[in-house]
Amino acid sequence: DGGITQSPKYLFRKEGQNVTLSCEQNLNHDAMYWYRQDPGQGLRLIYYSQIVNDFQKGDIAEGYSVSREKKESFPLTVTSAQKNPTAFYLCASSMSGHNEKLFFGSGTQLSVL
Amino acid sequence: QKEVEQDPGPLSVPEGAIVSLNCTYSNSAFQYFMWYRQYSRKGPELLMYTYSSGNKEDGRFTAQVDKSSKYISLFIRDSQPSDSATYLCAMSTGQGAQKLVFGQGTRLTINP
């Protein structure tokens, strides 16, 4: 089945620690995205990538980093510089950077210990 | 003022009722309008996608766009307990998904 796989489902971060969230897609989509969702708030864009080896900051990129070495993979690192990392993180993809239809993974809940 | 406003609810209705979910927006350049359904602790799934003004129907779901009033709606007929979820509106000027603006979501519960 085609889709987007996010792992792990739950993740705990200690203070001062960097953690990496995995996102893999087999939809052959060019564009991939990371969103953060906080209770009662809409989705906020962290980073996006329209093509391999290229990515752009979204609205709330501070304290996060990404890489796009393969078309299928777009991992997100939450660094120690992100002071309020507790949130539900969603990875998404679209056929191209010009297509508005997003397909989402099932999310990763990150909490601080 | 937020670019997209959506009543967060929660909204609770009996099974079989007609549900109306709404969003208002301020950017007159928005042309693409979407509704996503998100079950608890899951990723959103695209439910309806419309371009410009008008209505679009898909089974029990109808999406309505009124660009003159900057108002979009999602109607659910014959609502079922399985429709219980958070519904997110999203809209775009057509410059790609990175420009999508989401509402904060309305939490809906259908009571058997």
Side-chain angles (χ1 to χ4, degrees):
Chain A
D1 283 335
I4 300 176
T5 301
Q6 287 188 243
S7 62
K9 193 170 178 64
Y10 299 96
L11 187 58
F12 297 90
R13 193 191 91 166
K14 294 179 182 177
E15 194 169 335
Q17 186 182 40
N18 293 351
V19 292
T20 298
L21 285 60
S22 171
C23 178
E24 303 277 332
Q25 57 101 355
N26 61 4
L27 299 169
N28 199 32
H29 284 175
D30 287 325
M32 297 187 74
Y33 311 81
W34 275 105
Y35 287 90
R36 170 178 172 143
Q37 186 175 34
D38 294 281
Q41 294 196 33
L43 305 184
R44 292 185 289 168
L45 183 63
I46 305 172
Y47 268 99
Y48 65 97
S49 167
Q50 295 185 326
I51 196 168
V52 175
N53 292 322
D54 186 51
F55 49 82
Q56 307 295 328
K57 291 181 180 180
D59 301 318
I60 55 165
E62 187 174 348
Y64 301 96
S65 66
V66 293
S67 62
R68 185 87 186 275
E69 297 176 2
K70 298 187 300 181
K71 186 175 183 178
E72 304 79 23
S73 179
F74 191 41
L76 173 75
T77 296
V78 184
T79 74
S80 56
Q82 173 49 246
K83 298 307 179 187
N84 184 23
T86 296
F88 191 54
Y89 290 86
L90 288 160
C91 178
S93 69
S94 64
M95 286 183 65
S96 73
H98 299 288
N99 192 300
E100 277 81 13
K101 292 184 181 179
L102 286 174
F103 294 81
F104 285 89
S106 56
T108 294
Q109 174 64 50
L110 175 62
S111 302
V112 176
L113 284 175
Chain B
Q1 183 190 3
K2 288 185 180 179
E3 215 170 354
V4 176
E5 296 274 5
Q6 183 176 8
D7 186 342
L11 182 62
S12 182
V13 301
E15 184 176 354
I18 296 175
V19 177
S20 172
L21 304 168
N22 312 295
C23 288
T24 59
Y25 63 93
S26 57
N27 187 348
S28 57
F30 284 146
Q31 295 190 71
Y32 296 86
F33 303 91
M34 283 141 271
W35 286 95
Y36 284 85
R37 178 175 62 194
Q38 184 177 24
Y39 292 114
S40 182
R41 297 290 101 184
K42 299 289 187 186
E45 55 178 328
L46 183 63
L47 199 57
M48 300 290 280
Y49 177 90
T50 54
Y51 170 71
S52 195
S53 283
N55 292 359
K56 183 174 182 179
E57 190 173 319
D58 184 0
R60 296 184 295 109
F61 298 89
T62 299
Q64 195 172 76
V65 175
D66 182 348
K67 291 188 73 178
S68 62
S69 301
K70 297 191 182 72
Y71 188 88
I72 70 170
S73 300
L74 177 71
F75 297 98
I76 307 174
R77 292 185 301 279
D78 187 25
S79 55
Q80 305 293 312
S82 58
D83 296 327
S84 298
T86 295
Y87 290 80
L88 299 150
C89 64
M91 43 199 84
S92 165
T93 58
Q95 294 175 305
Q98 63 270 21
K99 296 295 187 183
L100 269 178
V101 181
F102 286 86
Q104 54 265 63
T106 299
R107 187 173 173 185
L108 172 67
T109 301
I110 308 297
N111 300 303

